[in-house]
């Protein structure tokens, strides 16, 4: 989250001087061990008053990962769409354009939804002409023209390029291609849906338990990033999805070939990030060794693909042939001949390069080795020549090279020995010849270090010049890795290849939730949606599995549209253009948004955005307000989705009144989660059946949740009397006798028997003919004034608790 200035110190005639050479920010950090993508984003408001972004409506966005060189531009119709894209790419740093900086609402929502650092970059960088020039200079005029995006997106891209250049990251050379991210080819997944379906993290913010963690069997960090990207950006292209399916099908059946592929891929490093380090000039010799080893993985993978007939006939052959394999082999051979097998971590101390790589270097190394051999054998020569014992030759920073002789033999050293230090058990000496050899080897070491560093920098620049090739190879290996991961999970979990088509029909036979099935014995269920049956009202007991059922449908559709197999016995899936979910929300009190406001905002987004080709999941609507209001909103939303939007919809509700819509709306059908009740014990069967449910079993759920026994027993008694329209004893009050009350259907209020009798002209007395004390009568009057149909449930409970406390007072 910090900006760090990096300065180099150097010597001048007047002393030390320092110069800032780089500013490290969250979005331009290269030295990262995190395998996830690290995007720097820019957002420009195309309809802003300042007009700095040029012509165009909506928003323009750009995303760059400096660690891999990936560069994308996108367009959004409004602020909500822009936020969805930001949530999808999850940038670590965001550059807001001139007009976005003053949009407190948008910036506030960015802070809510992400941990990104907001950085104000110079306004001139967003100027249309300057930005367009910067983008064309980087990627070429023809490339930019083919993007077919408006000025705001180009302004965002230009601002990122200027920012990266200003920070001195030195990675612009790794940004070799710019791509347009068009929503038309991708499934719309807003931030709420990604969170509700727990695609990359659970509701608690944990990676484990997410859909991504469940299906991720990748061997490389690049493969994991790509698989996560597929999940967050499902495709609508039938041709693309069918190609992925063919590859997954081939790998899922060829278990031996798949295992060998994954074992081979395990030796690959992150080429995209290595290319970025090379262009920045921060790659060391070990990084180039990693490049060399990873380039050798490509032909090994290609050979494995070609050697298995079933895999060879799949699109995998085309994937491994996409990079220029000849150029990759040449670069790999160059690095093989150049870099030492086990080079040091530093680049200025020599021993980086192989013998035979450079004639001048070889000559220096031979002279260096000759002197070093003289030094290594000096101790033995001195022992033999002068009859000394306990003689060693060594070197340190203080004394340089020295001859060390034990004290017992020190008196017998020859006259040309010059003592330089006395130790406890030995003495150190030097000679004129040793000092000459020391100067010679130090000069050779310095010469070797400088020459090797110069040659290494040339080699590193050569690797940087092949950045696009490295990115192509890395992308191919990552794609094979991601497909092998999907195949592994499909084979291990009995997933099947879905039948994809462009129609409306969605039919899943014995579908399962991809995550939940990992931790429990899952009860599979069917779903059928088509032109005649496009809206399912899902009812059933609490905790019976309604939410899981609907989420599994959404997850299966999403998995199908990344090219994966799905957890089902059989599946036929018509491609959707968007998946929208509305699930029980938490209060966002810090932002002044209650549960009901969040619920209505999410519903509003769905009703405005979903189309007839979308899949909509609604898990309760209207529960956050009074009963009549809630039913009215849910009813109207159902009619609108059915009549106007016509999206494929699953709507779970506790409002049984909505089940009556199936009799009047032709595409609405009722399904319910079955339960079995015997001798007062309820078993949730987790099975979806046609028709509406008859009961909610809420009291049974309260019992399962550990609500105290007296409360549960009392609730059962109250429920039984309500169903029989009998009086309920409102326990408590000033007298020893319980007060009788009944729910009057006509008025929608609770009434005491005395009040009911009074309404009919009878006396206002209790059953014994005694008058009711004023305190109790006041409580009953307040109870009568409550309208349970318009009072929110939480407020109703609070009022009843208050009345009980008043009755219990002596």
């Amino acid at each position: 989250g910090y900006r760090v200035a990096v300065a180099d110190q150097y010597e001048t005639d007047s002393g030390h001087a320092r110069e800032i050479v780089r500013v490290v920010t969250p979005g331009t950090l290269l030295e990262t061990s995190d395998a996830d993508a690290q995007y720097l984003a820019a957002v420009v408001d195309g309809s802003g008053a300042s007009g700095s972004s040029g012509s165009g409506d909506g928003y323009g966005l750009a995303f760059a990962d400096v660690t891999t060189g990936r560069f994308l531009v996108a367009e959004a119709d409004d602020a909500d769409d822009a936020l969805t894209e930001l949530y999808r790419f999850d940038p670590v740093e965001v550059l807001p354009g001139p007009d976005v900086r003053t949009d407190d609402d948008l910036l506030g929502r960015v802070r809510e939804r992400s941990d990104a650092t907001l950085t104000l970059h110079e306004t001139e960088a967003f100027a249309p002409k300057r930005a367009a020039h910067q983008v064309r200079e980087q990627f070429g005029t023809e490339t930019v023209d083919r993007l077919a995006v408006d000025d705001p997106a180009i302004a965002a891209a230009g601002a990122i390029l200027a920012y990266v250049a200003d920070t001195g990251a030195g990675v612009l050379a790794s940004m070799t291609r710019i791509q347009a991210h068009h929503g038309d080819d991708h499934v719309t997944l807003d931030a709420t849906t990604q969170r509700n379906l727990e695609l990359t993290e659970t509701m608690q913010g944990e990676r484990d338990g997410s859909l991504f963690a469940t299906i991720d069997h990748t061997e490389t960090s690049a493969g994991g990033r790509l698989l996560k990207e597929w999940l967050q950006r499902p495709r609508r292209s039938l041709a693309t999805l069918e190609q992925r399916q063919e590859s997954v099908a081939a790998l899922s059946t060829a278990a031996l070939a798949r295992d060998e592929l994954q074992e081979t891929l395990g030796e690959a490093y992150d080429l995209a990030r290595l290319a970025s380090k090379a262009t920045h000039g921060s790659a060391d010799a070990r990084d180039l060794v990693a490049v060399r080893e990873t380039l050798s993985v490509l032909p090994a993978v290609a050979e494995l693909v070609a050697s298995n007939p079933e895999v060879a006939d799949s699109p995998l052959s085309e994937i491994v042939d996409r990079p220029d394999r000849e150029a990759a082999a040449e670069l790999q051979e160059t690095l093989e001949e150049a870099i030492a097998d086990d080079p040091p971590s530093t680049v200025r101390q020599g021993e980086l390069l192989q013998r035979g790589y450079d004639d001048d270097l070889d000559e220096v190394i031979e002279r260096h080795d000759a002197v070093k051999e003289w030094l290594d054998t000096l101790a033995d020569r001195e022992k033999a020549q002068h009859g000394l014992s306990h003689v060693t030759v060594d070197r340190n920073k203080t004394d340089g090279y020295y001859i060390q002789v034990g004290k017992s033999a020190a008196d017998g050293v020859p006259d040309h020995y010059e003592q330089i230090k006395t130790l406890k058990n030995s003495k150190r000496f030097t000679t004129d010849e040793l000092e000459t050899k020391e100067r010679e080897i130090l000069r050779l070491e310095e010469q070797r270090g400088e020459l090797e560093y110069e040659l290494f920098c040339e080699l590193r620049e050569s690797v940087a010049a092949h950045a696009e090739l490295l990115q192509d190879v890395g992308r191919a290996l990552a794609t094979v890795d991601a497909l092998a991961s999907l195949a592994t999970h499909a084979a291990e979990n009995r997933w099947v290849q879905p039948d994809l088509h462009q129609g409306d029909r969605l039919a899943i036979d014995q579908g399962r939730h991809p995550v939940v099935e990992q931790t429990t014995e899952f009860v599979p269920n069917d779903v059928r949606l088509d032109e005649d049956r496009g809206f399912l009202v899902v009812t059933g007991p609490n905790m019976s599995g309604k939410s899981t059922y609907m989420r599994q449908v959404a997850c299966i559709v999403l998995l199908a549209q990344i090219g994966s197999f799905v957890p089902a016995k059989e599946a036929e899936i018509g491609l959707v253009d968007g998946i929208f979910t509305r699930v029980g929300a938490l209060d966002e009190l810090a932002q002044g948004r209650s549960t009901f406001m969040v619920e209505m905002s999410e519903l509003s987004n769905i009703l405005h955005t979903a189309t007839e080709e979308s899949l909509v999941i609604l898990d309760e609507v209207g529960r956050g307000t009074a009963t009549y209001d809630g039913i009215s909103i849910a009813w109207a939303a159902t009619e609108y989705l059915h009549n106007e939007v016509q999206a494929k919809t699953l709507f779970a509700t506790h409002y049984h009144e909505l089940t009556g819509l199936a009799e009047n709306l032709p595409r609405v059908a009722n399904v319910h989660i079955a339960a079995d009740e015997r001798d007062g014990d309820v078993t949730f069967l987790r099975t979806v059946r046609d028709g509406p449910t008859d009961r909610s079993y809420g009291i049974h759920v309260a019992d399962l949740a550990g609500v105290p026994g007296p409360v549960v027993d009392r609730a059962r008694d109250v429920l039984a009397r309500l169903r029989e329209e009998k009086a309920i004893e409102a326990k408590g009050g000033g007298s020893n006798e319980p007060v009788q009350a009944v729910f009057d259907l006509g008025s929608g209020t609770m009434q005491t028997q005395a009040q009911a009798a009074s309404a009919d002209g009878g006396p206002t007395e209790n059953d014994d003919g005694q008058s009711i004390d004023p305190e109790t009568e006041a409580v009953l009057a307040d109870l009568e004034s409550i309208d349970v149909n318009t009072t929110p449930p939480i407020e109703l409970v609070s009022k009843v608790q208050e009345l009980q406390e008043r009755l219990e007072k002596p």
Side-chain angles (χ1 to χ4, degrees), residues 294-307:
T294 307
L295 287 175
S296 67
V297 170
L298 179 62
V301 168
E303 176 61 28
L304 284 170
V305 170
S307 62

Side-chain angles (χ1 to χ4, degrees), residues 583-646:
V583 180
L586 300 174
D587 281 331
E588 295 180 4
L589 298 180
Q591 289 77 41
R593 287 151 56 89
S594 68
T595 299
F596 185 60
M597 175 58 76
V598 173
E599 179 183 336
M600 289 299 100
S601 296
E602 293 176 355
L603 177 63
S604 172
N605 177 58
I606 292 173
L607 296 179
H608 280 294
T609 311
T611 74
E612 62 181 5
E613 297 181 14
S614 302
L615 174 66
V616 174
I617 303 296
L618 295 175
D619 191 357
E620 298 295 345
V621 168
R623 296 282 289 178
T625 187
T627 304
Y628 282 175
D629 284 353
I631 291 177
S632 301
I633 293 170
W635 189 290
T638 299
E639 288 182 340
Y640 189 84
L641 281 167
H642 177 276
N643 298 331
E644 302 297 332
V645 179
Q646 299 182 19

Side-chain angles (χ1 to χ4, degrees), residues 493-770:
N493 294 273
R494 299 177 294 107
W495 286 18
V496 300
Q497 180 176 341
D499 177 18
L500 304 180
H501 57 85
Q502 301 285 7
D504 291 329
R505 181 171 172 78
L506 172 63
I508 301 172
D509 183 12
Q510 297 186 28
R512 311 183 301 276
H513 192 289
V515 178
V516 179
E517 73 167 350
Q518 300 294 315
T519 57
T520 186
E521 186 175 348
F522 199 85
V523 178
N525 277 298
D526 304 340
V527 65
R528 179 174 64 83
L529 292 166
D530 51 36
E531 292 182 359
D532 301 324
R533 175 188 163 104
F535 194 116
L536 298 185
V537 176
V538 185
T539 53
N542 293 293
M543 289 180 60
S544 63
K546 296 192 299 296
S547 294
T548 301
Y549 171 67
M550 295 195 304
R551 282 181 173 89
Q552 84 183 37
V553 173
C555 286
I556 287 174
V557 171
L558 188 151
L559 285 167
Q561 294 199 220
I562 71 169
S564 171
F565 282 21
V566 299
K569 181 179 180 182
E570 190 175 349
E572 179 185 349
I573 296 175
L575 300 183
V576 301
D577 64 1
I579 300 175
F580 300 90
T581 64
R582 207 235 69 75
V583 180
L586 300 174
D587 281 331
E588 295 180 4
L589 298 180
Q591 289 77 41
R593 287 151 56 89
S594 68
T595 299
F596 185 60
M597 175 58 76
V598 173
E599 179 183 336
M600 289 299 100
S601 296
E602 293 176 355
L603 177 63
S604 172
N605 177 58
I606 292 173
L607 296 179
H608 280 294
T609 311
T611 74
E612 62 181 5
E613 297 181 14
S614 302
L615 174 66
V616 174
I617 303 296
L618 295 175
D619 191 357
E620 298 295 345
V621 168
R623 296 282 289 178
T625 187
T627 304
Y628 282 175
D629 284 353
I631 291 177
S632 301
I633 293 170
W635 189 290
T638 299
E639 288 182 340
Y640 189 84
L641 281 167
H642 177 276
N643 298 331
E644 302 297 332
V645 179
Q646 299 182 19
K648 291 186 282 287
T649 304
L650 284 82
F651 187 175
T653 183
H654 283 89
Y655 294 135
H656 291 180
E657 294 84 351
L658 296 183
T659 60
L661 288 170
E663 300 175 4
N664 301 305
L665 300 178
R667 295 175 59 250
V668 173
N670 289 312
V671 296
H672 69 281
I673 313 294
D676 181 42
E677 184 174 10
R678 296 181 183 178
D679 301 326
D681 293 328
V682 178
T683 302
F684 294 151
L685 302 179
R686 315 290 186 190
T687 301
V688 178
R689 296 175 179 170
D690 284 341
T693 189
D694 57 348
R695 293 177 58 187
S696 293
Y697 299 96
I699 295 175
H700 176 70
V701 174
D703 191 16
L704 290 177
V707 173
V711 176
V712 173
D713 293 340
R714 174 62 175 156
R716 288 196 178 105
D717 180 53
V718 171
L719 178 61
R721 299 183 75 87
L722 281 173
R723 284 176 172 169
E724 298 172 9
E725 297 186 15
K726 291 184 178 179
I728 304 172
E729 297 177 351
K731 293 185 176 180
S735 64
N736 293 326
E737 295 298 326
V739 178
Q740 299 291 319
V742 67
F743 182 74
D744 181 65
L745 294 176
S747 64
T749 61
M750 297 292 293
Q751 292 186 350
T752 65
Q753 287 184 320
Q755 289 170 326
S758 175
D760 294 334
T764 56
E765 298 177 343
N766 62 17
D767 291 346
D768 298 329
Q770 299 173 339

